[in-house]
Amino acid sequence: MKAKHLVKGLVTFVPGSDRILPSTTTLGTNSARYCYGVWIKHLTMLHRHAGLTRVPDTVAELGPGDSVGIGLSALLSGANHYEALDVVPFASSAANLEVCDELVALFQQRAPSPAEGFPNFWQYLDDDLFPHQVLTDDVLAGVWT
């Protein structure tokens, strides 16, 4: 974490700071590609290290940010229920709709995940950089029919 992000976060706890600071946004959840990549990374790491064999029925997220794109990714890949809790109303319906449309296309294409970031997980993806071991064609077909 960069020091500037830590300082910005700490300043938000100062009463009245919201009136003098420029509005801030979160760090990427307004990008469908980012949300898709984070969700694929979580699924992949849970499969590898916790034996996850299917998408969880319920997914919860604390601090979803600019959109609920990671939760939408969960729902688009087979979760039945999503709960999100954020103390700051960053997300908007317009952003969520835009991210959702882009996520649908990414899942339909079984797009390669951007295998970057911490922890490194690319070696756990298949040759297509997609977690077919959890998101099988049968699972995704069940979501899309």
Side-chain angles (χ1 to χ4, degrees):
M1 178 185 296
K2 292 184 178 180
K4 72 177 183 178
H5 295 135
L6 179 62
V7 170
K8 282 172 103 174
L10 290 173
V11 168
T12 63
F13 289 101
V14 175
S17 65
D18 58 331
R19 290 187 297 263
I20 59 173
L21 293 175
S23 78
T24 58
T25 60
T26 58
L27 300 174
T29 60
N30 58 344
S31 160
R33 195 91 168 119
Y34 172 84
C35 295
Y36 179 81
V38 168
W39 178 244
I40 297 297
K41 178 175 22 178
H42 288 316
L43 281 180
T44 301
M45 297 304 283
L46 285 168
H47 172 74
R48 173 71 176 149
H49 297 291
L52 179 87
T53 58
R54 64 180 195 83
V55 174
D57 187 59
T58 300
V59 174
E61 183 177 18
L62 298 176
D66 293 322
S67 78
V68 292
I70 296 170
L72 292 170
S73 294
L75 294 169
L76 291 170
S77 58
N80 291 312
H81 188 76
Y82 170 66
E83 291 286 336
L85 176 66
D86 207 337
V87 296
V88 178
F90 284 116
S92 71
S93 296
N96 287 327
L97 289 171
E98 184 176 324
V99 167
C100 186
D101 288 344
E102 293 173 26
L103 286 169
V104 167
L106 291 168
F107 277 103
Q108 287 176 332
Q109 298 165 15
R110 273 59 160 186
S113 174
E116 58 212 25
F118 179 81
N120 187 352
F121 70 104
W122 64 269
Q123 69 269 25
Y124 305 130
L125 296 170
D126 60 21
D127 291 341
D128 297 326
L129 295 179
F130 189 81
H132 281 101
Q133 65 276 21
V134 178
L135 295 178
T136 64
D137 288 340
D138 289 343
V139 167
L140 292 176
V143 174
W144 300 100
T145 57

